[in-house]
Amino acid sequence: MDADISDSAAGSVSPPDSDPARKRRAHGMLKLYYGLNEEGKPDEKESLDPCDINGPHFDPEVFLNKLRKECSLAELMDQESCMVKQIRALDSDMQTLVYENYNKFISATDTIRKMKNDFKKMEDEMDCLSTNMSAITEFSACISGTLQDQHTQITKLSGVHSLLRKLQFLFELPARLNKCLELQAYAQAVGSHRRARCVLQQYSHMPSFRGIQDDCHAIMDQLAQQLRQKFRDGGSSAKDLSDCVELLLQLDEPAEELCDKFLSHAQSRLEADLLGLEAELREPLSASVPELFVNRPQEGDLASKNIPQMANGKLHSFVDALAARYFALVERRIQEEKGVGDNSLLVRALDRFHRRLQAVSKLLPGSGVPSQGTEIVVRAARERIRQYLAALQSFYLDSLTDVRQALAAPRLSVGGAGVSGAGGLGAAVKDAAPSLPDLLASLSGSILNQIKSVLASVHLFTAKDITFSNKPYFKGEFCSEGVREGLVVSFIKFVCQSSRQFCESAGDRGGTTPPALLLLLSRLCLDYETSTISYILTLTDEQFLVQHHSPVTAVTALCSEAREAAQKLLNHYVKVQGLIISQMLRKSVETRDWVNTIEPRNVRAVMKRVVEDTTSIDVQVGFLYEEGVRKAHSSDSSKRTFSVYSSSRQQARYAPSYTPSAPMDTNLLSNIHKLFSERIDIFSPVEFNKVSVLTGIIKISLKTFLECVRLRTFGRYGLQQIQVDCHYLQMYLWRFVSDENLVHFLLDEIVGSAAHRCLDPAPMEQSVIEVICERG
Amino acid sequence: MEDDAPVIYGLEFQARALTAQTAETDAIRFLVGTQSLKFDNQIHIIDFDDENNIINKNVLLHQAGEIWHIGTSPADKCVLTTCYNKTSDCKVTGCAAVWRMPAEWESGSHESPDDSSNSPQTLELLCHLDNTAHGNMACVLWEPMGDGKRLLSLADNHVLLWDLQESSSKAVISSSATLEGKGQLKFTSGKWSPHHNCTQLATANDTAIRGWDLRSMSQIYCIDNAHGQLVRDLDFNPNKQYYLASCGDDCKVKFWDVRNIGEPVKTLEEHSHWVWSVRYNHSHDQLLLTGSSDSRVILSNMVSISSEPFGHMVDEDELSDVEDNGQEEKCKEPLQDSIIATYEEHEDSVYAVEWSSADPWLFASLSYDGRLVINRVPRALKYRILL
C-alpha cells in the first residue's frame, strides 16, 4: 500500500516534462551519476573527446579554451545561458529523486514491523492443530476395532443371499421354461436350461432338485418335440432351419439323424428353387441365374459347420446330385441365351456362377462340382463364339443386302439415262457413281467395326477380373482355337466363300447379282488380301495374346484365298458385263434381214448403246480399280482403215498356191495374220485394273459380234452397215483396252467375215464411212 | 508318239458341216460340206488311211448352195442329207435335200487325183424335203440305226417327221409338231435318241432343251434355262438312255439325267468361249469330245457318269492290282473325271467335231477356215480303257 502511494507520489513529483528525449537524457545523466553504465561502451567511444560535456574525460579547461578560440562573443553568451539552464534542470531532477527514495524507504520499514507481529500469532495456532489431529487418530482406531465383527457377518449374509437367488432361479426354472415355450423363445429356453443343467445333474440325488430336474426334462422334451415339429414342417427359411438345428444339437439330439433331415429339407427347398428357376428359364433374364445360386454355398457352409466331419460324404453326394441338376438347368439357361447383344451380362453371370462354385470348392475340397462348373463355362464360351460367328455372318449378309438395295436405286437411273441418250448418261453416272466407293468404304468399315466389337465382347471372357480367365482353356485354346480360328478366320473364309457363291449360283440362271455388287465385292476381297486380313489377325493376336499351341491358319493362306475370291468375282463381273453387251449385239445381228437392208446412213443405235454402256462400265470400274497399263497408242488410232478388208477385195488375184485344188477364196492375209498373232482367250482371267477389265469385256462383246456375223448372210448394204458399225466401234473402243491391236484384229475379223458372208461384196468408201461415223 | 500326231487337211472354203459316214464301218471316212456364197459348194469325202497316216480325199459338187448341216444315212453309205442356204432374188432360204453320191466317185479319184479337182462329180439329187410351209431348215436327222427310211427335220419352230418312199425319191411328212410360245422360237439343233426304240427326240431352242415323244409328237420334258445362254448342241449317251450332254454359249458342257431335270448331273467349264459341238464316243461313253470357238477341241474323260463300271480304270501303276481285285478298287478310289487332252491345231473357231464310225479311237474336228484335223485318243488311255 505504501508502495502504491509512493509510486503515485513519485509520478506526481516527476517534472512535467513530456519530451521523452530529454527525459532519457536526464535518466542517462542520473545513471552516470550513480555509476550505472551498463550501456557505457558507446559512451566511452564518444567520451574520448575531452570537449564532450557529458563524457567522462571532459576537461573544462580544454572545453573553455576551445570555446574561446572558436566562438564569437554572442555565441559564448548563448552557450553560457544554455549551460546555466541545463544546470538548473539537473538540480531539480536530483531533488525529485532524492525525495522519492526517501518515501520508499519509510514505507518498507513499516511493512517489516507488521510482518513480525503476524508470524507470532500463527505459531500458536499450528500447535493447537497438531494436538487435535492426534486426538482424532485415537478415536478412529477405537471405532474400527468395534465394527470388525459386524463386517464379517454382513459378508456371509450377502453370500447366502446370492445362493438363495440361484436356488430361486432353479426353482423358477420350470415355470420360466414353460413361459418361454409359450412365447416360442426357444433359444432363450435352451440357454437357460443349459445353464442349469450341470447344477441339476450334480445335485440330482437330492429329492427337491430331482423334482426340478424332472420337471425341466419334461419341459425340454416338449420343447425338443416342438423344435422337431418345426424342423419337420420345413416351411421356414434357411436361417430358421439352421437355428433349429443348432438348438437341437445343443439338446444333444442325434447328429446324424439331424443331418439327414436337414439335407432333405435343404434339398426340398433347393428343388423348389430349381423348379422356380426352370419356370423362369422362359423369361429372358440372365441375371437371375447367379442370384439364385447365392444361397447354395451358404447352406453348404452351414451344413458343414454344423456337422463337422461325420457327414462329409453325405454332403458330397447331396451336393453332387443337386449340382448336377442345377448345372443342367444352368446349361439350358445359357443355351437359351441366344441374343448376342450384351455379352458383358453373360460374362458377369458366368463369372459370378464360377465364383460361387469356387466357394463351394473351398468348403468341399474333394468335390467335382467346380470343375464341372468350369466345363460349363468353357462350353458356354464355345457356344458364344459360335453364336458370334453366326451373328457376324448374318451381319455380313445383311450389309450385302443393304448394298444391293443401295445399288438398285442408282442402277435404275443409269438404265433410264442409257435410253435417253448420251447426254443424259453423264449426269446419271454422276448421280450414281459416287456411291460405289462410298458403299465400299461403308461396307468394309461396318464389317471391320462389327469384327472389332465382337472381339471386344469376346475379350470379356479373358478379362483379368473374371475368375475363370486364368484357366488354361481361356489362356490358350480359347484364344487360338476359339477366337482366332473359330471366329476371325472362319469369318474371313465365310466372306470369301460367299463371294465365290455369287459367281457360281448367279452364273447360270440369268445373273441375279447386280454386276456392280460383283465389282464391289471383288474390290473388297482384294482389299482384304492386301491389308485387312493381316490387320484383323494382328489385332486379334494382340488383344488375345494368342500363343499358337496348335498350328493356325497362316495369314498368307487366307490372303491367297481372298485374292482367289477377288479374281473370281472380277472374272465373273467381266463375264456378266460382257454378256449384257453381247446380248445386245447378238439380238441386233440376229433380228435383222441383212440381205435386204437399205444403204447405211447412220451408225446403228445399238452400237451407240454399246459404246455408252462401255463408257459407263469404264466409269464404274474406274471408281474401284486403278487405271492399269496399256500399250502405246498409235498417233491416229481412231482413223485407221480396215486394211484386211481392202486386201480381201483383191484376193481373187492370188494364185492358188495354198492348196492344189480349187480357186483361192479364203482370206489369206487374215490367215497369215492369225498364224503369227497370239491366240486370244476370250473368257480369260483379268488383272486387277480397269484396262484389263474393260479389255475383257470388249473382247467378249466383239467375239460375240464376230460369231453372230458368221451365221448370217449379207447383202451389199448389209456389209456396208457392218463396215460403218465397226468403224464406229473402232473410233470409241480403242481407248478402253490395253492393246488396241486386239480391237483392230477382232474388228478386222468381223468385217472380213461379213465380207465373206456377203452376196455382193461391194465395200463402202472409207471416206464415206468416216463421214457417217463422225456424224454420229 | 509319232503315231499320235494329228493329221491336218485344208479345205479351200470355209466350212461348218462335218459328219462321219455312219453306214461305213470299215473305212474311216468323214464328209465335210463347205460354205461359199460365190463358188460352187463341195462335199469333201475324206478317207483316212490309219496304217499309213495318209488322207485321201474326193470332192463332189453340191451346187444347190452353202451347206450348214450334213447327215448320212445309217443304212446306205451313199445316201446323205444336207441343209443348205439357197440364195435367189436377194432372198436366203434354208432348204434340205436327200442326195446320192455317184457310184463311181471312189474309183475315179483313185485313178487320177489331179483330174478330180478339175472336174468333180456332182451329187445326185434324190428328193427335196419340201419346207415351203415350215421355214428354214436347221438340221436333218436320220433315224439312228434305222433302215434309212425315216428322217426328222427341224425347221424354225417345227419338228417334221419324214418318210422316204420309192427308194428315197419321195419324202412325205408323216407327222409334225410345232413349238408354240412367245416370240420367234427357232430350233438351233436336235438329236434323235437311239434309245427307246428311237421314239424320242431332244431339241434345243434358245436356252431350253426339250424332249419329244415321236409317237404322239408331244413334248415330254423341258429343261428351261439349261444353259445361261444359247444351247448350241446336244448328244445322247449311247449307253445310258436317260443321259444327255449339252453345250452352249455360256462356255459350259452340261450333263443331264432327263428323269431329274432340275439340276445338271455335272458341269464342265473348260472352254474359254462358246461350245459349238459335243459328241459322245459311240462305244466308250466316258470319252467326250467338245469343239469351241476358242479354237480348241477338248477330249474329256467323264468316267463318273459313264456306263463304265467304276473302278474299271485305275491309275496305271495299279494296273496289275486291278485285275485281281477290281471290285475293291471301285470302293477304294473313285475315279477322277479329267481332261485327257486339249487340241490346239485350229486357228479359227471349231464348229464341228465328230467321232469316226469305224474306229472308236479316232475323231475329226473342223474349223471355220476349212481346216480338218484328225486325231486319235492317246494310246495310253486307249489301253487303260481296253484292259
Side-chain angles (χ1 to χ4, degrees), chain A residues 479-528:
Chain A
C479 294
S480 63
E481 293 283 294
V483 176
R484 192 184 192 272
E485 296 295 297
L487 194 63
V488 179
V489 173
S490 301
F491 177 66
I492 294 170
K493 279 186 174 162
F494 171 78
V495 169
C496 296
Q497 195 189 338
S498 71
S499 305
R500 280 203 299 271
Q501 269 167 7
F502 277 114
C503 307
E504 279 150 20
S505 61
D508 293 355
R509 315 268 153 139
T512 48
T513 321
L517 181 66
L518 294 173
L519 190 67
L520 196 75
L521 283 178
S522 132
R523 183 70 222 190
L524 183 74
C525 286
L526 193 66
D527 286 348
Y528 265 65

Side-chain angles (χ1 to χ4, degrees), chain A residues 507-509 575 579 583 586 590 595-596 658-659 661-666 671 674-675 679 681-683 700 703-704 707-708 710-713 749 753 755-759 761, chain B residues 10 12-14 16 36-39 57 66 68 85 87 90 92 117 225 228-230 232 249 251-252 254 269 272-274 276 293-296 344 346-349 351 368:
Chain A
D508 293 355
R509 315 268 153 139
K575 202 163 167 179
L579 290 184
Q583 215 70 331
R586 177 209 291 256
E590 279 178 358
V595 179
N596 299 313
Y658 178 54
T659 38
S661 67
M664 172 69 190
D665 187 37
T666 38
N671 276 335
K674 270 188 230 164
L675 211 60
R679 190 186 286 268
D681 273 343
I682 303 303
F683 290 99
I700 292 171
K703 178 75 173 177
T704 304
E707 291 297 340
C708 290
R710 284 181 175 183
L711 287 172
R712 303 289 304 189
T713 309
E749 281 278 293
S753 292
H756 263 290
R757 304 285 317 141
C758 184
L759 295 170
Chain B
E12 305 78 20
F13 301 111
Q14 286 163 335
R16 279 174 186 271
S36 171
L37 292 164
K38 302 171 193 86
F39 303 96
K57 61 136 191 176
E66 53 172 5
W68 287 83
N85 272 1
T87 50
C90 294
V92 181
S117 60
N225 283 323
Q229 302 198 40
L230 216 63
R232 290 281 173 194
D249 286 2
C251 313
K252 290 175 184 165
K254 295 190 180 183
E269 195 172 0
S272 68
H273 203 246
W274 308 350
W276 286 78
S293 41
D294 65 0
S295 318
R296 291 189 179 92
E344 309 211 352
H346 292 286
E347 304 285 350
D348 206 334
S349 305
Y351 292 131
Y368 190 60

Side-chain angles (χ1 to χ4, degrees), chain A residues 45 83 118 134 255 288 330 390 449 521 553 563 581 608 640 701:
Chain A
K45 238 185 186 173
M83 206 167 283
D118 287 351
S134 63
S288 70
V330 168
N449 280 342
L521 283 178
T553 317
R563 190 179 181 87
I581 295 177
K608 291 180 181 165
R640 197 173 148 277
S701 311

Side-chain angles (χ1 to χ4, degrees), chain A residues 320-487:
Chain A
D320 286 350
L322 272 180
R325 287 193 52 195
Y326 176 68
F327 287 158
L329 277 182
V330 168
E331 255 186 295
R332 270 179 57 195
R333 183 70 191 83
I334 291 171
Q335 273 165 17
E336 275 175 33
E337 197 64 26
K338 291 278 186 256
V340 285
D342 190 5
N343 194 43
S344 64
L345 200 61
L346 178 82
V347 172
R348 267 211 313 275
L350 285 175
D351 178 42
R352 212 184 290 179
F353 170 72
H354 190 257
R355 205 172 295 208
R356 302 283 181 218
L357 289 180
Q358 293 314 114
V360 171
S361 83
K362 267 175 212 147
L363 293 170
L364 300 171
S367 174
V369 171
S371 65
Q372 281 175 10
T374 311
E375 262 170 47
I376 285 183
V377 172
V378 166
R379 270 202 294 278
R382 281 208 187 106
E383 183 59 33
R384 206 63 181 163
I385 287 177
R386 261 200 297 284
Q387 284 169 5
Y388 272 119
L389 180 61
L392 266 183
Q393 291 175 349
S394 71
F395 174 83
Y396 175 69
L397 293 181
D398 286 350
S399 34
L400 280 194
T401 316
D402 290 349
V403 169
R404 231 176 227 256
Q405 278 165 357
L407 283 175
R411 257 171 60 84
L412 284 179
S413 70
V414 169
V419 173
S420 69
L425 182 81
V429 164
K430 253 180 210 162
D431 283 348
S435 61
L436 261 187
D438 291 353
L439 277 175
L440 177 67
S442 74
L443 177 66
S444 68
S446 66
I447 291 174
L448 203 58
N449 280 342
Q450 191 72 7
I451 291 178
K452 277 181 185 165
S453 76
V454 163
L455 280 182
S457 299
V458 173
H459 196 245
L460 289 175
F461 277 107
T462 60
K464 281 213 171 63
D465 56 339
I466 301 294
T467 46
F468 49 76
S469 66
N470 58 358
K471 295 272 170 200
Y473 169 76
F474 282 97
K475 275 189 165 167
E477 200 192 337
F478 177 75
C479 294
S480 63
E481 293 283 294
V483 176
R484 192 184 192 272
E485 296 295 297
L487 194 63

Side-chain angles (χ1 to χ4, degrees), chain A residues 589-614:
Chain A
V589 175
E590 279 178 358
T591 52
R592 199 177 171 116
D593 182 1
W594 291 99
V595 179
N596 299 313
T597 187
I598 54 161
E599 188 167 4
R601 297 179 194 287
N602 286 311
V603 179
R604 284 187 302 150
V606 69
M607 294 302 158
K608 291 180 181 165
R609 180 76 197 277
V610 165
V611 171
E612 277 165 20
D613 279 12
T614 313

